[in-house]
């Protein structure tokens, strides 16, 4: 018998959205049969994967500066007679593969989001010869067939990709170019993955897609996201279902109705609006107005009164005047957000907005961002504060920083800290909320409050 090969160390750094988080886990899964175990120290890694994001210029530049550091580590390893393979995955890989190899020759291979199932082969090839360093074809179905079979979840919550790609072509955004067209996984495959997750102790599943509510069940029964959620809620152990990210255009009546009667569907919705100015929304090609968005939120709250709403906003889109920005602030007041993500417009080469007149000065963007953040912050604090005194069901996920403490999540996705025994990890337990901070809540087990 020959001795087993020494374990190889894999370091993965993930940027960008939750889709990338999911993909990184799948890459680790597909590499583990080849003997790769995870390390969090890149300097000692045999294989370094950067799973990248192209959404804003800053995100992209981070990747190049990280590659500079990794290159030094590779050189240091080489000096010690060891090797390091550097792979760039994700949306920067898809969007500027050639550019990456030109700017950073230490990169061994570049692999786009639809080609991760080819990683073992690509790595083997790169060990043999340089040259075939780029794989970026769009063939999502094959990717999922290969990647989801070996999945080992690490906690009581898990992401599950159900949809990829985007056909919306918002004029500021690179995603339709980096992730290809909208494509839905077959419902039966998703159900099988969800069953396997539940059997391994997962209680909460977040369905992922660049346009997750455009989910259409692919070649199955053509069910939408609501049908899929109902189907997954039947699986024993799947107690909570979330989904992200949605587009207002695809928020249909069946999904809104499901929020009213499907207990497993959590009352938290991330529904990006981007701007409150109709002129800007039109220039963004968003296909909704400020008013239609606010009406939609009203309809959703009519179905589920306590729905917490979150959103994405861009300030300083080309042509945005003070009055347009004021309209955004007004929309924020009308909706009342529980949380939000805000961005300064970043000019992305190749997107229509990059060539639009009226690019906004950086100082103006900074000033608008600060004002918008102040308002959204105030709303988030008020939302958290409004939970104080309530008893919320909390799914405990992991130990907290303090002795005896666990951290979990409320139905509204707030982090909740409480003193609780470790065996409660994976349980949904009533917690009376006693205090609210900006980012989290703390409370006491409700049963501890009632005398035996
Ligand atoms: N598919 C999702 C997520 C897209 S990316 C959606 O439609 O909501 C996440 C967020 O990044 C977007 O909602 C948008 O607010 C922001 N974003 C995208 N491109 C941007 C750009 N060029 N500049 C600034 N923010 C951008
Ligand atoms: Fe980008 Fe718009 Fe598609 Fe979202 S809907 S991914 S913002 S193009
Ligand atoms: Fe970034 Fe690609 Fe996600 S550009 S936000 S990693 S889809």
């Amino acid at each position: 018998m020959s001795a087993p090969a020494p374990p190889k160390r894999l370091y993965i750094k993930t940027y960008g959205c939750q889709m990338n988080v999911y993909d990184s886990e799948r890459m680790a899964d597909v590499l583990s049969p080849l003997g790769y175990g995870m390390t969090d120290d890149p300097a000692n890694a045999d294989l370094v994967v950067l799973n990248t994001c192209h959404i804003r210029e800053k995100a992209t530049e981070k990747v190049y500066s990280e590659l500079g550091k990794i290159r030094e580590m590779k050189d240091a390893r080489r000096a010690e007679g060891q090797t390091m393979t550097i792979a760039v995955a994700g949306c920067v890989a898809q969007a500027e593969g050639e550019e990456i190899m030109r700017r950073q020759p230490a990169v061994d291979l570049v692999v786009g989001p639809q080609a991760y199932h080819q990683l073992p082969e690509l790595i083997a090839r790169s060990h043999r010869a340089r040259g075939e360093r780029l794989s970026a074809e769009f063939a999502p179905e094959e990717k999922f067939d290969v990647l989801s079979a070996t999945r080992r979840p690490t906690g009581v919550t898990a992401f599950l990709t159900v949809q990829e790609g985007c056909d919306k072509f918002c004029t500021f955004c690179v995603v339709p170019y980096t992730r290809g067209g909208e494509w839905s996984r077959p419902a039966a495959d998703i159900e099988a993955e969800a069953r396997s997750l539940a059997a391994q102790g997962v209680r909460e599943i977040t369905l992922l897609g660049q346009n997750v509510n455009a989910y259409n069940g692919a070649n199955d029964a053509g069910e939408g996201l609501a049908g899929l959620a109902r189907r997954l809620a039947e699986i024993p152990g799947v107690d909570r279902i979330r989904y992200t990210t949605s587009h207002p255009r695809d928020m249909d009546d069946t999904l809104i109705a499901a929020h009213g009667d499907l207990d497993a569907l959590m009352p938290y919705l991330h529904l990006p609006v981007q701007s409150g100015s109709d002129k800007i929304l039109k220039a963004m090609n968003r296909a909704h107005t400020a008013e239609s968005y606010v009406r939609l939120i009203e309809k959703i709250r009519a179905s589920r009164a306590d729905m917490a709403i979150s959103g994405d906003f861009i300030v300083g889109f080309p042509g945005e005047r003070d009055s347009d920005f004021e309209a955004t602030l007004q929309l924020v007041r009308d909706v009342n957000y529980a949380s939000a993500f805000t961005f300064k417009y970043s000019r992305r080469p190749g997107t229509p907005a990059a060539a639009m007149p009226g690019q906004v000065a950086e100082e103006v963007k900074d000033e608008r961002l600060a004002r918008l953040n102040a308002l959204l912050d105030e709303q988030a604090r008020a939302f958290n504060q409004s939970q104080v005194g309530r008893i919320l069901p909390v799914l405990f996920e992991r130990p907290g920083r303090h002795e005896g403490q666990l951290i979990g999540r409320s139905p509204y996705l707030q982090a909740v800290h409480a003193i609780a025994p470790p065996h409660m990890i994976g349980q949904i337990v009533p917690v009376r909320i006693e205090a609210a901070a900006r980012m989290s809540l703390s409370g006491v087990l409700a049963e501890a409050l009632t005398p035996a």
Side-chain angles (χ1 to χ4, degrees):
M1 257 177 67
S2 62
K8 289 172 275 188
R9 280 170 301 236
L10 166 63
Y11 173 81
I12 305 185
K13 181 155 184 167
T14 308
Y15 302 83
C17 62
Q18 286 146 333
M19 195 82 59
N20 271 7
V21 176
Y22 178 90
D23 282 345
S24 289
E25 289 173 7
R26 299 295 75 70
M27 284 191 260
D29 292 344
V30 83
L31 291 168
S32 112
L34 295 165
Y36 285 98
M38 294 297 286
T39 172
D40 30 17
D41 177 14
N44 286 314
D46 300 285
L47 172 60
V48 169
V49 178
L50 300 189
N51 194 6
T52 63
C53 175
H54 196 242
I55 200 84
R56 282 168 289 276
E57 193 179 351
K58 236 193 217 150
T60 307
E61 283 313 310
K62 261 192 217 156
V63 173
Y64 286 104
S65 82
E66 185 71 17
L67 279 174
K69 289 186 217 152
I70 303 282
R71 185 221 176 110
E72 284 171 21
M73 297 176 196
K74 180 174 182 162
D75 290 345
R77 269 175 80 80
R78 189 179 290 134
E80 290 168 9
Q82 288 169 312
T83 59
M84 176 192 282
T85 303
I86 304 177
V88 179
C91 290
V92 179
Q94 183 68 42
E96 39 190 78
E98 307 282 349
E99 167 95 0
I100 295 169
M101 292 189 283
R102 194 178 56 71
R103 276 181 69 176
Q104 186 46 274
V107 170
D108 297 285
L109 64 114
V110 171
V111 53
Q114 306 307 339
Y116 297 153
H117 55 291
Q118 298 170 3
L119 259 180
E121 180 187 333
L122 290 167
I123 289 164
R125 279 180 195 278
S126 92
H127 286 167
R128 279 182 215 157
R130 295 172 77 86
E132 286 181 78
R133 292 199 288 163
L134 188 74
S135 181
E137 296 298 307
F138 286 115
E141 185 145 24
E142 207 183 317
K143 161 183 171 176
F144 286 107
D145 281 353
V146 176
L147 292 190
S148 62
T150 51
R151 178 148 196 207
R152 292 279 168 272
T154 52
V156 300
T157 64
F159 292 136
L160 204 176
T161 297
V162 305
Q163 183 276 342
E164 278 210 62
C166 181
D167 295 338
K168 305 292 192 287
F169 291 95
C170 301
T171 53
F172 50 81
C173 183
V174 296
V175 171
Y177 312 97
T178 62
R179 292 276 175 165
E182 287 178 8
W183 178 83
S184 297
R185 279 177 80 185
D189 293 1
I190 296 164
E191 186 182 331
E193 190 169 336
R195 275 190 193 283
S196 149
L197 291 171
Q200 297 175 77
V202 168
R203 305 288 303 273
E204 174 177 304
I205 295 181
T206 301
L207 307 177
L208 296 182
Q210 264 92 27
N211 279 278
V212 71
N213 59 343
Y215 177 80
N216 67 8
N219 25 27
D220 242 6
E223 50 191 322
L225 191 65
L228 182 68
R230 288 185 194 279
R231 188 163 165 169
L232 300 182
E234 297 289 315
I235 299 173
V238 176
D239 297 316
R240 290 182 163 191
I241 298 171
R242 304 180 186 277
Y243 57 91
T244 197
T245 297
S246 298
H247 193 289
R249 198 162 101 188
D250 296 315
M251 203 64 216
D252 69 17
D253 288 347
T254 62
L255 187 53
I256 295 174
H259 275 288
D261 63 24
L262 186 62
D263 288 341
L265 208 50
M266 290 293 100
Y268 173 94
L269 177 65
H270 184 63
L271 196 64
V273 64
Q274 314 298 357
S275 169
S277 154
D278 289 344
K279 182 190 88 188
I280 297 298
L281 288 168
K282 191 151 187 259
M284 287 176 162
N285 191 29
R286 285 292 294 181
H288 59 79
T289 62
E291 159 140 7
S292 71
Y293 179 87
V294 173
R295 293 280 160 275
L296 180 59
I297 299 292
E298 283 169 0
K299 200 166 163 187
I300 293 164
R301 285 183 170 146
S303 175
R304 175 86 202 224
D306 62 343
M307 189 74 112
I309 304 292
S310 149
D312 288 348
F313 297 85
I314 295 176
V315 299
F317 184 84
E320 185 185 73
R321 293 167 175 261
D322 281 337
S323 56
D324 297 306
F325 177 65
E326 291 299 332
T328 299
L329 294 177
Q330 189 53 48
L331 178 135
V332 170
R333 287 183 208 107
D334 291 344
V335 169
N336 197 7
Y337 285 88
S339 71
F341 300 89
T342 57
F343 308 100
K344 286 191 282 181
Y345 170 70
S346 170
R347 206 169 172 174
R348 308 307 286 131
T351 59
M356 285 181 188
Q359 299 287 330
V360 175
E362 212 52 28
E363 312 83 73
V364 177
K365 288 183 194 170
D366 285 332
E367 189 247 335
R368 288 180 187 163
L369 186 69
R371 284 181 66 199
L372 178 60
N373 282 343
L375 176 59
L376 286 163
D377 231 53
E378 202 180 291
Q379 293 189 344
R381 279 172 197 278
F383 178 72
N384 284 349
Q385 198 60 44
S386 73
Q387 310 296 329
V388 174
R390 288 186 67 191
I391 293 180
L392 297 179
V394 172
L395 170 58
F396 283 119
E397 295 177 13
R398 59 194 158 85
R401 242 182 305 148
H402 302 293
E403 181 81 23
Q405 190 189 51
L406 296 183
I407 299 181
R409 294 223 176 244
S410 79
Y412 314 106
L413 206 58
Q414 297 146 301
V416 181
H417 306 251
I419 301 295
H423 72 83
M424 282 190 174
I425 290 176
Q427 291 181 23
I428 297 171
V429 181
V431 173
R432 203 184 69 193
I433 305 304
E434 302 208 309
R438 198 176 72 84
M439 298 289 287
S440 66
L441 304 175
S442 57
V444 177
L445 295 186
E447 61 204 37
L449 296 168
T450 40

